[in-house]
């Protein structure tokens, strides 16, 4: 049985740096983030969604994770 979860990310927990964004978001995602009025909040929301999707894909056997430090681009 598989459960349903919620992934929440505090804005203050994420680094406010271009390095973090470039490591974890595609060029298309970065372009979208550049249009948002609150970039940091948008990064947190996009990160939470991306991390949740990645965890679900790993659990379903669709992808294999490479550890917590691996980029999610």
């Amino acid at each position: 049985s598989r459960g349903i979860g919620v992934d929440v990310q505090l804005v203050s927990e994420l680094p406010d740096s271009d390095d973090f964004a470039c490591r974890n978001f595609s060029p298309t995602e970065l372009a979208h983030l550049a249009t948002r009025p609150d970039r940091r909040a948008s990064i947190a929301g996009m990160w939470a969604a991306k991390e949740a999707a990645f965890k679900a894909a790993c659990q379903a056997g669709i992808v294999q994770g490479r550890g917590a430090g691996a980029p999610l681009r």
Side-chain angles (χ1 to χ4, degrees):
S1 165
R2 300 208 174 162
I4 296 174
V6 175
D7 204 337
V8 177
Q9 183 67 55
L10 292 174
V11 174
S12 61
E13 288 180 347
L14 290 176
D16 187 17
S17 71
D18 288 336
D19 288 341
F20 176 81
C22 289
R23 179 175 164 85
N24 292 291
F25 299 116
S26 70
T28 301
E29 291 168 325
L30 291 170
H32 173 75
L33 289 170
T35 69
R36 308 310 307 154
D38 187 343
R39 181 177 182 262
R40 195 162 184 213
S42 295
I43 286 173
M46 190 178 286
W47 172 255
K50 183 172 254 196
E51 188 177 36
F54 181 75
K55 287 176 185 177
C58 286
Q59 187 175 18
I62 296 168
V63 299
Q64 186 173 15
R66 295 182 296 160
L72 293 180
R73 285 187 76 199

